[in-house]
Amino acid sequence: MLLQPAKIPAKTDFVELVYNVLVDAIIDGTLTPGERITQEEIAEQLHVSRSPVLQALRLLKKDGLIEDAPGRGVQVTPLDSAWVGHLYEVRGALDALAARLAIQAGAKLDPGLIVRGRVAAKSGDLKQIIDADTDFHNAIYAAAGNPLIAEAANNYWIHLRRVMGAVHRWASQRSTIWDEHEAIVQAINAGDMARAVSLTEHHIGSAKASLIRQLDDQLAMAEQV
């Protein structure tokens, strides 16, 4: 584990700094599922005291990104395919609802979301890819006009980003992902509710199946090592 934070500004909330660095490390795989985490090592690498590290770890534990390790201490929460399936079921319901409400509101989504997404996909940069995907779905939540959808969805995005990061490290993205996104944008902008909802449900269902399959494959490989 080697944590590399950006340059620390003069006035810094060190709890937020440590939290964000650890979240990024969990998403990009610097901290792997099941890896033990020690306050001392984190504090030393980030050049902060143990107090903000302890507070950040408490927040991460509350978020479900870390858990008590066997014996003592904490570890990165292992990925579980059944839990990922449940996560995508909730996401699918929220995305379909958001698509319906966006059309009812007469919303028009920016086609530039697709352009930026395709650029990100070609870049191979994990953070850029995940950010583009997040931006796409958040745009639909915003277009729905119901702030509770975004609020509910954003409670799970940190876990979705982690799963997306894990699978992208193991295998290339589904090649059709931004084609699917573009079709959803076109359906919403055309006011075609049935098609928009159908495409959204298919998109989330395909993502769920792909993620679980790749996750199970990788976990099986890890057990054989």
Side-chain angles (χ1 to χ4, degrees), residues 20-56:
N20 288 336
V21 169
L22 291 177
V23 167
D24 288 344
I26 291 171
I27 290 173
D28 69 21
T30 301
L31 290 171
T32 58
E35 182 173 348
R36 285 180 177 267
I37 300 175
T38 66
Q39 296 177 41
E40 295 80 4
E41 186 177 5
I42 294 171
E44 180 180 352
Q45 291 193 29
L46 299 184
H47 307 292
V48 299
S49 69
R50 290 177 58 183
S51 178
V53 174
L54 177 60
Q55 294 180 62

Side-chain angles (χ1 to χ4, degrees), residues 174-216:
R174 290 182 300 121
S175 60
T176 60
I177 185 170
W178 283 99
D179 293 336
E180 294 171 16
H181 284 172
E182 184 171 21
I184 292 170
V185 167
Q186 291 173 347
I188 290 175
N189 288 353
D192 189 337
M193 185 177 295
R195 179 169 172 76
V197 171
S198 176
L199 288 169
T200 297
E201 291 176 342
H202 173 75
H203 172 66
I204 298 301
S206 296
K208 172 186 171 183
S210 176
L211 288 168
I212 289 177
R213 181 174 61 254
Q214 293 182 63
L215 180 58
D216 283 344

Side-chain angles (χ1 to χ4, degrees), residues 31 43 58 90 125 136 138 148 180 191 217:
L31 290 171
R58 286 173 176 166
V90 172
D125 182 274
F136 169 79
N138 279 336
L148 295 181
E180 294 171 16
D217 288 347

